[in-house]
Amino acid sequence: MIAVNNLSIFFSGRNLFNNIKFTISKNERLALIGKNGSGKTTLLRAIYGIISPESGTISTPKSYKIGFLQQELSVQSFGTLYEEVKSSLSEIETISSELEQVQNDLHNTTDDNKIIQLVEKIDHLQYRFNLLGGNTIEAEIEQTLLGLGFTREEFYREVSSFSGGWRMRIELAKILLAKPDLIMLDEPTNHLDLNSLLWLEKFLRNYFGSIIIVSHDTNFLDNVTNRTIEISNGKLYDYKLPYSEFIEYRVKQREQQLAAFKSQQKEIDRIESFVTRFRYKATLATRVQSKMKMLEKIERVEIDDIENPAIDLRFPQTEKSSIIPAEAVNLSKKYGEKQVLSNLNFKIERGNRIAFVGKNGEGKSTLCKILAKNLDYEGKLYFGNYLNIQYYSQIVYDDLNLENTILEEVEKVATSKTREQVRTILGAFLFHGDDIYKKIKVLSGGEKSRVALCKIIVQPCNFLIMDEPTNHLDVFSKAVLKEALMNFEGTMIVVSHDRDFLLGLTNETWEIKNHQINIFLGDFEIYLEKIQANISEDLKIESKKVNQEEKSSNTNDYEVRKQSKRELEKYNREIKKLESSITELESKIRILEESFSNSEILSNPTKLLANQKEYDILRHKLDTEFQKWEEINLAIEDLKG
């Protein structure tokens, strides 16, 4: 278990966190959420040890291992994919060498005490060796790489030949195979296709250790996590709820805060009115002083950041296209010798809302570029009349004028929008305040992509092609974009791996696979059910293979591990009770802390004093339980080692 105690971090002159506390128990799946810039990545970096807090501590057990997938990586390797992934498993080789040495020592000694020590050490090393998959590591490497979308032919490609997104997958594979006690993933879904995303979900749900995930993919969070921590205004809101249930609870909580705030403001206004009216009346001087002291002691109710107000964002009206905007006859595309699309025949009817899905590299973006008239091809492609195409891709920002400000760049094409409307749209896509006066040339790639997205939304079109539009958006911005697309009346093609974004948005799913198109009619959910069933079957087959290999290698050390397990059971039971007690105490303390902002409690000195006394007792008990927890963990480490 990790314990974060009284952690404070300052960044760019502001307080990101102030005296925050929480624990991460074994097997917990934790979603870390908050607005962009709230400090999610900073907190992960502090836990990993990359940055140091201004105050507070982060306690981890001895030999505790953390794997951290960061958003920005600099993978430097001159080896192959397989060599790079296997290089992260040096612990297996180290343990193997240690086992060989200890077994030799055991063979060469007759000292009974020494024999007992060596047998215990062998048991500890063998347990960790098996946990890491030492006897089946080749099969696990293959299973992991295939699950993340690599082909067997790519296993021996140089790492340097892979793009940034694929290198991110390489780093993810290394972390998953190393089997750390805690896996921390910062936006892991940005570079994964749907198949890889579904595979990762299943892997994480079955993982033995703890997990912290930062992601704007709400479906991914709901399917993997069971606890949510929100960072808001430097505070943490921590509840054992999956993401969607947490959001519902927080909405109700904000409503209660607002009611308490209004009630408190009414009381403050009443007291201030009394002080102002009778401040100079000698006969009421004592009462006035009493009221002024009362005002000073009131702990003001704070209202958490309210979600941005709803924005009714709609594409400008334009004339309809012909009934068939696009029709392909024997359409093919090659890159050199590599065949991507082969003899495609299809019609796109006016009003169709199509999701393009498939593994990375199968040709989704290629077909988008062809339909956007940005790429040559073989075969025939007929376009209808009155067609007004708008195309968004990950490199569309290349067309931006680097010398313009954000506001200038969007305003020049927003002929039907007022400046106020343009500013509202920019705010919906994370450009606030003076941000809109930044020049395009100083923006990051993600910021440029959001500017390009704004430009598309303010221009009239009747044939919209969107290639991964959600990669640089937070949850609110995605909701605004989806609502705009739901109201779009033309023909639409969307490439996305974000299931929550696609659900209810499209009426056809085109799976691009093996140079061909498989068409699934109906909502994206129909296709999703099919692909999930296929992945479950594949996982059963792979797991069966790995289990068979493990069975043959684990028979001999079964009795040794069984004995070790009995010795640890007592401590583990005590740890479980303590963790349950700690969780219960923290919950009670949170309730009391919230009560200190309640106007009714504040106006009742007797109740306030009782709550404060109970709070002090609980805090003392919590500290005692934490101390016991740390002592028992040290005892467990001594027993293992």
Side-chain angles (χ1 to χ4, degrees):
M1 184 165 75
I2 289 182
V4 177
N5 295 306
N6 300 319
L7 196 73
S8 296
I9 295 179
F10 297 90
F11 185 76
S12 298
R14 67 189 184 94
N15 194 356
L16 278 181
F17 327 116
N18 188 24
N19 291 327
I20 61 172
K21 302 176 185 178
F22 64 94
T23 59
I24 305 167
S25 303
K26 188 176 180 181
N27 298 122
E28 278 202 305
R29 280 91 173 93
L30 195 154
L32 183 60
I33 67 171
K35 292 184 176 181
N36 284 13
S38 61
K40 303 184 295 294
T41 296
T42 301
L43 181 55
L44 295 185
R45 287 163 63 86
I47 293 173
Y48 194 61
I50 297 175
I51 62 174
S52 299
E54 272 65 34
S55 62
T57 60
I58 300 173
S59 304
T60 58
K62 185 179 178 182
S63 303
Y64 194 84
K65 298 183 183 300
I66 300 176
F68 182 23
L69 181 72
Q70 303 183 61
Q71 289 191 51
E72 297 181 4
L73 295 175
S74 55
V75 180
Q76 300 294 331
S77 174
F78 299 100
T80 65
L81 164 62
Y82 197 89
E83 291 169 343
E84 176 68 18
V85 171
K86 198 167 184 179
S87 70
S88 67
L89 304 174
S90 56
E91 186 181 356
I92 290 177
E93 296 179 9
T94 301
I95 293 174
S96 183
S97 299
E98 283 189 63
L99 273 170
E100 186 176 349
Q101 181 61 51
V102 175
Q103 286 165 348
N104 286 337
D105 293 343
L106 182 62
H107 181 72
N108 295 325
T109 187
T110 57
D111 185 309
D112 289 344
N113 290 331
K114 187 70 172 175
I115 288 172
I116 292 172
Q117 292 176 1
L118 291 172
V119 168
E120 289 177 347
K121 189 170 184 180
I122 288 173
D123 175 58
H124 173 67
L125 291 171
Q126 191 68 53
Y127 173 78
R128 184 64 184 169
F129 186 78
N130 291 335
L131 183 64
L132 292 172
N135 295 306
T136 58
I137 195 58
E138 306 292 333
E140 289 199 27
I141 290 175
E142 180 177 344
Q143 183 182 356
T144 301
L145 290 178
L146 292 175
L148 290 176
F150 295 97
T151 63
R152 287 187 174 87
E153 292 75 19
E154 292 174 320
F155 285 9
Y156 302 101
R157 266 180 61 184
E158 299 289 325
V159 171
S160 58
S161 68
F162 288 97
S163 66
W166 285 99
R167 292 191 191 187
M168 190 71 74
R169 296 193 195 202
I170 294 171
E171 192 64 25
L172 177 57
K174 289 164 62 178
I175 291 170
L176 300 182
L177 286 163
K179 296 185 174 66
D181 299 286
L182 170 65
I183 292 176
M184 300 194 303
L185 305 177
D186 194 356
E187 294 293 355
T189 67
N190 280 355
H191 301 285
L192 298 180
D193 55 45
L194 182 60
N195 293 61
S196 301
L197 182 57
L198 293 173
W199 179 89
L200 179 61
E201 271 186 9
K202 290 184 179 292
F203 180 95
L204 295 177
R205 281 202 297 267
N206 296 320
Y207 190 66
F208 72 90
S210 304
I211 299 167
I212 303 178
I213 300 173
V214 173
S215 178
H216 293 135
D217 187 331
T218 56
N219 209 284
F220 181 69
L221 293 178
D222 273 336
N223 290 338
V224 175
T225 63
N226 54 18
R227 175 184 170 193
T228 305
I229 291 181
E230 179 186 17
I231 303 175
S232 178
N233 290 333
K235 298 179 181 178
L236 292 192
Y237 297 88
D238 181 3
Y239 298 98
K240 287 189 177 294
L241 296 170
Y243 173 81
S244 293
E245 293 181 29
F246 176 90
I247 294 301
E248 290 179 9
Y249 179 79
R250 288 286 284 136
V251 168
K252 293 177 182 177
Q253 192 179 56
R254 286 187 178 102
E255 290 173 354
Q256 293 170 353
Q257 284 179 339
L258 183 59
F261 174 80
K262 288 180 178 178
S263 176
Q264 187 182 70
Q265 284 301 118
K266 189 175 181 180
E267 178 66 12
I268 290 171
D269 290 345
R270 187 184 66 79
I271 296 172
E272 288 179 342
S273 177
F274 179 90
V275 171
T276 302
R277 184 178 179 186
F278 300 110
R279 179 186 295 271
Y280 303 107
K281 200 170 184 67
T283 56
L284 295 175
T286 303
R287 292 186 64 186
V288 168
Q289 288 296 321
S290 175
K291 294 289 186 182
M292 291 175 67
K293 289 179 180 179
M294 186 184 297
L295 276 176
E296 292 173 1
K297 291 180 180 179
I298 291 177
E299 187 172 343
R300 305 300 170 105
V301 173
E302 293 183 0
I303 303 175
D304 302 331
D305 278 348
I306 304 298
E307 293 295 330
N308 293 347
I311 297 175
D312 186 16
L313 186 59
R314 295 177 182 269
F315 287 81
Q317 292 284 342
T318 187
E319 61 183 330
K320 292 182 178 180
S321 69
S322 53
I323 295 176
I324 305 295
E327 179 178 1
V329 179
N330 296 327
L331 187 148
S332 299
K333 177 62 184 176
K334 279 185 177 181
Y335 289 105
E337 296 299 317
K338 182 180 179 182
Q339 188 78 42
V340 180
L341 304 172
S342 180
N343 295 319
L344 302 184
N345 293 279
F346 61 80
K347 288 182 181 180
I348 298 176
E349 297 182 1
R350 185 177 67 204
N352 275 12
R353 308 168 72 84
I354 304 168
F356 280 5
V357 299
K359 293 183 178 180
N360 286 2
E362 290 284 1
K364 304 186 297 294
S365 294
T366 296
L367 186 53
C368 285
K369 290 175 185 176
I370 291 171
L371 290 169
K373 304 181 182 180
N374 284 4
L375 192 64
D376 59 0
Y377 53 88
E378 297 174 358
K380 301 292 184 181
L381 182 58
Y382 303 101
F383 289 100
N385 297 323
Y386 315 111
L387 207 59
N388 189 340
I389 299 174
Q390 289 289 344
Y391 169 51
Y392 173 85
S393 77
Q394 292 299 293
I395 58 172
V396 73
Y397 56 73
D398 287 346
D399 296 329
L400 301 177
N401 186 331
L402 300 181
E403 296 303 320
N404 277 346
T405 66
I406 296 173
L407 181 61
E408 290 169 343
E409 185 67 15
V410 177
E411 270 193 324
K412 73 180 183 182
V413 294
T415 55
S416 63
K417 304 285 185 183
T418 65
R419 171 163 287 196
E420 184 178 347
Q421 289 173 324
V422 171
R423 291 182 66 123
T424 299
I425 293 169
L426 288 172
F429 290 94
L430 311 180
F431 297 113
H432 304 288
D434 292 339
D435 288 345
I436 64 174
Y437 300 112
K438 289 181 180 177
K439 287 188 178 292
I440 302 296
K441 63 183 179 183
V442 304
L443 302 182
S444 66
E447 289 171 327
K448 290 176 182 175
S449 294
R450 298 204 304 272
V451 174
L453 191 57
C454 290
K455 288 182 65 176
I456 286 175
I457 288 175
V458 299
Q459 296 183 73
C461 75
N462 52 30
F463 191 16
L464 185 61
I465 304 171
M466 308 287 276
D467 190 356
E468 296 289 2
T470 66
N471 273 1
H472 302 287
L473 303 182
D474 65 4
V475 174
F476 170 74
S477 300
K478 280 199 305 182
V480 169
L481 176 60
K482 183 172 181 177
E483 186 65 25
L485 294 177
M486 293 289 287
N487 294 324
F488 180 66
E489 297 179 354
T491 307
M492 180 173 64
I493 293 170
V494 181
V495 178
S496 179
H497 60 263
D498 190 320
R499 289 155 294 169
D500 184 62
F501 184 73
L502 288 177
L503 287 173
L505 182 62
T506 58
N507 56 19
E508 291 185 18
T509 302
W510 289 17
E511 181 187 51
I512 303 175
K513 184 177 181 181
N514 297 328
H515 322 312
Q516 296 294 312
I517 294 176
N518 300 314
I519 298 178
F520 299 82
L521 299 179
D523 184 59
F524 175 71
E525 189 171 9
I526 296 172
Y527 172 79
L528 187 59
E529 290 173 356
K530 171 186 173 295
I531 201 70
Q532 285 176 324
N534 290 344
I535 289 175
S536 295
E537 190 61 33
D538 291 343
L539 279 175
K540 287 178 184 177
I541 294 171
E542 292 291 344
S543 296
K544 187 176 181 180
K545 284 167 56 181
V546 172
N547 289 337
Q548 286 172 345
E549 294 177 32
E550 285 180 338
K551 188 175 180 180
S552 62
S553 63
N554 289 343
T555 303
N556 293 334
D557 64 286
Y558 172 74
E559 290 300 327
V560 177
R561 287 189 288 110
K562 187 176 180 181
Q563 180 182 354
S564 177
K565 183 179 178 181
R566 281 198 300 268
E567 293 174 347
L568 292 171
E569 278 179 350
K570 178 184 175 182
Y571 283 137
N572 285 334
R573 284 196 298 270
E574 291 183 36
I575 284 288
K576 189 173 182 180
K577 288 179 181 177
L578 282 170
E579 289 177 352
S580 177
S581 174
I582 288 169
T583 300
E584 184 179 353
L585 287 168
E586 288 178 332
S587 178
K588 290 179 179 179
I589 287 170
R590 275 198 299 270
I591 292 171
L592 285 171
E593 287 174 340
E594 290 174 3
S595 76
F596 295 144
S597 299
N598 187 307
S599 58
E600 293 182 4
I601 300 295
L602 292 172
S603 61
N604 187 337
T606 303
K607 182 63 175 175
L608 184 62
L609 187 62
N611 282 12
Q612 184 63 55
K613 186 176 180 181
E614 183 181 1
Y615 178 85
D616 292 339
I617 293 171
L618 291 175
R619 285 299 316 173
H620 177 72
K621 190 172 181 180
L622 180 63
D623 292 339
T624 303
E625 298 288 73
F626 264 127
Q627 185 177 351
K628 290 179 183 177
W629 177 84
E630 291 176 355
E631 289 171 355
I632 293 176
N633 267 291
L634 288 173
I636 288 174
E637 292 299 331
D638 290 339
L639 182 61
K640 287 181 177 179

